[in-house]
Amino acid sequence: MKRTVVAAAAVAVALVGGCAEEASGCDAEYRLSEVKGEKRPVRIEPSTHHPGLTDRELEEALPSPGLEAATNDKVLNHLRQETVRMAGVVGETGRGRCAGEADRPRGETVRCTVTYEGVTVPWLVTSKGTTSGSTGAFSQDFVYTAKPLKTLHTARAVYDWYAWETGKNGTTEGPLAPVDPRCDRLPEVFLAEPGEETGYYCQDVSNTCTDDVQHIRWGDRPIRAEENGDLSFLAG
């Protein structure tokens, strides 16, 4: 009789212990080899370092011409600086040219081009007229806006920006850190349409749960070029 009671107690303990140790389907560990979807080839290390070039770095790389320089020279130097800003990396730029004088009546436009590492970047310059200058009561400055008709990017800058995107909140370690962020292998220098997706992707592992079922996949994030040449990584 004693033996029967002990056996029953042992079975009860085993059952209770089994329930306590049973893990939810959404808590199960997984290996990266089990993640569904296409794995992009370039691994990115999350970073809290803000990428890009400062105004000072741009000015050192491409010093602004003097006050007496021709208007087109001033405009083209500015376009070269902004092209390098988009690239995110100082590189070789040509002097550039405009299809006519940039200093024209308010509202009129002129197309200009500059080069970066041999790639031609077109710009549209729109005149805003003239305003009182800083060199005296009788001086005037040409005012304008410049819009890239194609945005220019470098692989290095994209990788740096995604590293910051995945690490900017300080989540480079711990349970909230992105899992194995990655990107496409990008051309060293490439052009994109402003305000459009570039056709390239970055990603990290997406872990979602539906009805106690875990869904592990590579979450693609399309790389988008904004109107001003900035990059954004859309949620997949």
Side-chain angles (χ1 to χ4, degrees):
M1 186 69 178
K2 183 178 180 181
R3 178 179 299 175
T4 302
V5 172
V6 170
V11 171
V13 171
L15 289 174
V16 172
C19 291
E21 294 176 359
E22 183 178 353
S24 165
C26 292
D27 295 332
E29 294 185 2
Y30 62 89
R31 296 188 298 269
L32 287 177
S33 60
E34 299 172 338
V35 180
K36 295 181 179 179
E38 179 185 357
K39 180 179 179 179
R40 307 287 168 177
V42 179
R43 190 174 187 279
I44 304 298
E45 187 68 33
S47 172
T48 56
H49 174 72
H50 197 288
L53 298 169
T54 65
D55 290 342
R56 180 176 179 178
E57 289 171 325
L58 290 170
E59 184 65 25
E60 289 176 351
L62 294 164
S64 298
L67 294 174
E68 302 304 319
T71 298
N72 273 25
D73 289 340
K74 295 178 181 178
V75 170
L76 285 169
N77 192 79
H78 175 231
L79 297 184
R80 292 170 70 191
Q81 288 184 346
E82 293 306 304
T83 297
V84 173
R85 188 192 302 275
M86 284 193 292
V89 182
V90 174
E92 183 178 351
T93 64
R95 176 183 177 278
R97 62 180 299 274
C98 292
E101 292 299 320
D103 190 353
R104 49 184 63 202
R106 180 181 177 87
E108 291 192 9
T109 62
V110 63
R111 287 173 63 103
C112 301
T113 58
V114 297
T115 61
Y116 175 89
E117 295 294 334
V119 177
T120 300
V121 184
W123 289 82
L124 186 67
V125 175
T126 302
S127 170
K128 296 296 182 181
T130 56
T131 186
S132 297
S134 57
T135 58
F138 300 102
S139 66
Q140 290 185 320
D141 289 334
F142 173 59
V143 183
Y144 62 96
T145 59
K147 175 184 177 180
L149 299 178
K150 296 280 188 180
T151 61
L152 179 134
H153 310 280
T154 61
R156 175 178 166 185
V158 174
Y159 299 152
D160 285 348
W161 276 103
Y162 194 56
W164 184 74
E165 179 72 14
T166 55
K168 64 184 178 182
N169 294 322
T171 53
T172 57
E173 297 179 352
L176 297 180
V179 178
D180 200 26
R182 311 183 73 86
C183 290
D184 282 329
R185 193 172 304 281
L186 302 170
E188 186 174 343
V189 181
F190 63 96
L191 296 174
E193 294 291 337
E196 302 288 341
E197 294 180 14
T198 62
Y200 298 111
Y201 295 84
C202 291
Q203 65 182 184
D204 58 13
V205 175
S206 171
N207 186 349
T208 59
C209 182
T210 305
D211 297 330
D212 209 30
V213 177
Q214 192 177 41
H215 303 280
I216 310 296
R217 64 181 180 87
W218 289 108
D220 282 341
R221 301 178 66 177
I223 303 169
R224 174 187 170 93
E226 302 297 343
E227 294 284 349
N228 63 352
D230 288 348
L231 292 168
S232 61
F233 301 89
L234 306 177

